[in-house]
Every structure is written in C-alpha cells, then in structure tokens.
Amino acid sequence: MVNSISKIVQTLIDNDVSLQDALQKDYGNYSAMARMLRPKVKEILGRDIKLESIITSVKRAKAGYKPLAGNITKVIAESIINIRTDVAKISVDKTRRNLEKIRKTIANFSEEFFHIIEGTSAITLIFDQKLLDEIYSLFPEKEVLDKRQNLAAIFICSPRELISTPGCVLAFYNVVSRRHINIEETMSCFTDTIIVLSMEDVNKAFAALTDLITEARKQLTKK
C-alpha cells in the first residue's frame, strides 16, 4: 500500500506546479505539504492515512524535482524559444518507393518548413499545414500510418555547449511532461531541440519552458 500512496502523492504533485516549484527550490515544508495533500489522498484511497506516510512520499517525490545545476543551468539560461503554428505531420511505411518520393518532395519544398524523421519501419514528415493535401496525395492511402494536423512546433535554440552537456534536453522534456502535455514528435538539429505538440497545448508548454529558462537565469545571477 505504501507504493500506492507514493504513486498517488506523486500524481498529485505532478498536477500542481506550485508544489513542484516548492520542492525544486527547496522552500516547501514537508509536513505542511503533506497536510495539504492528505484530504485528496484519503478521498482517492477511500480511507484515512497517517500523515507520516504522506510526508515520506513527499520526500521521495522531491528527488524528481532537483534544481538545475552546473553547466546545465548555463545552457538553459542562454536558450531562446520560437514557436511555429499550423503544422501537420504524416507517417508512412518505409519503402524504397516512398523514400524516393520524399527525396523528390524535398526539392520541391526546399523553402518551406519541412522536417523528416526516419525510423526502422516508418518515416514521419513534419511540415506546414498548407501542404497537407498535396503531400498526403503522394502516398497510397494504405501506406499512410498516421495523419495529424493542428499541431505546433516549439524550437528551443541553445548555445553550442548543449552538445557536450548531458541533461539539458531532458530538462526541457521534463517540464513539458509534468504539465501532462503529449509530445507528438521530437527531434534535434545541432543545437536546436524541436518539440511538436497539439496547438491546444502550445501555450502551456511555452509557459513551462519559459519558467525553466527564467529560473536558470535567476540562478546564474545569484552566483
């Protein structure tokens, strides 16, 4: 049952940005946070629970909200964000014929927003939504694995140190996933990290990433 309590507490904290901030910046009182969470934990479990058990679970949850440290802070602080809306994507079977079509398509849309992710069995094309009908018509319907529109792409442009600093990209992903935002696709290009998600989620993701960068910049000014 302890594991169940820990999972419940973790989920409740994941849904509350203020609690996450308190744990990350180390100003939260474990007992106070546990008392605040206790009614919700009792409601979910359907029975009373000792405060000490919740306190223990809060302490365990803190490990997932460590403050930024070392070179990661500098890289994130120097990152900037750009957003591109009205994006679509198509995933198709990876066949020789489709690969050839895609190579020819790249030449036709060289000045457009167009990205390719190649996997072992599928190829995903991410592009301006205005091109959707034209690109979709290139492939047999039976070979189209997925087709989505009304997406947005967030470009996180970081300094060159990103390449040699482990943990930076994970920090970007963490703050987005903690807002319970589904990442449709993600890719990187040199020092750019690109996250593709629903247009409905772009504002929440932008706010989460902006908060992360702002916090990193504050930490640098304190040094």
Side-chain angles (χ1 to χ4, degrees), residues 18-19 22 33 45 49 57-58 71-72 96-97 99 107 127 132 135-136 153 155 161 175-176 181-182 215-216 219:
S18 61
L19 291 180
M33 294 173 71
L45 287 176
I49 191 73
S57 297
V58 172
N71 290 337
I72 295 178
R96 184 174 299 177
R97 182 174 56 185
L99 282 169
F127 46 85
L132 179 58
I135 292 176
Y136 181 72
F155 293 80
E161 289 86 350
V175 294
V176 173
I181 297 170
N182 180 52
E215 178 58 29
Q219 288 191 32

Side-chain angles (χ1 to χ4, degrees), residues 42-54:
K42 287 170 62 177
E43 181 182 348
I44 294 170
L45 287 176
R47 62 178 181 83
D48 197 7
I49 191 73
K50 291 183 178 179
L51 185 65
E52 290 75 15
S53 298
I54 302 177

Side-chain angles (χ1 to χ4, degrees), residues 1 5 16 18 23 34 47 50-51 59 61 63 73 78 92-93 112 115 122 131 141 146 164 168 181 186 210 220:
M1 186 58 69
I5 295 171
D16 192 318
S18 61
L23 288 174
R47 62 178 181 83
K50 291 183 178 179
L51 185 65
K59 290 179 179 178
T73 307
E78 295 179 6
V92 299
D93 287 325
E112 303 285 356
H115 287 267
L131 305 175
E141 189 172 346
D146 191 28
S164 57
C168 297
I181 297 170
T186 183
T210 300
L220 286 183

Side-chain angles (χ1 to χ4, degrees), residues 158-171:
S158 303
R160 194 183 184 94
E161 289 86 350
L162 174 83
I163 300 170
S164 57
T165 307
C168 297
V169 175
L170 182 60

Side-chain angles (χ1 to χ4, degrees), residues 10-35:
Q10 183 68 64
T11 299
L12 292 174
I13 292 174
D14 285 344
N15 284 325
D16 192 318
V17 178
S18 61
L19 291 180
Q20 296 170 28
D21 191 60
L23 288 174
Q24 185 179 60
K25 297 177 183 177
D26 205 25
Y27 64 76
N29 180 281
Y30 295 136
S31 297
M33 294 173 71
R35 284 194 295 271

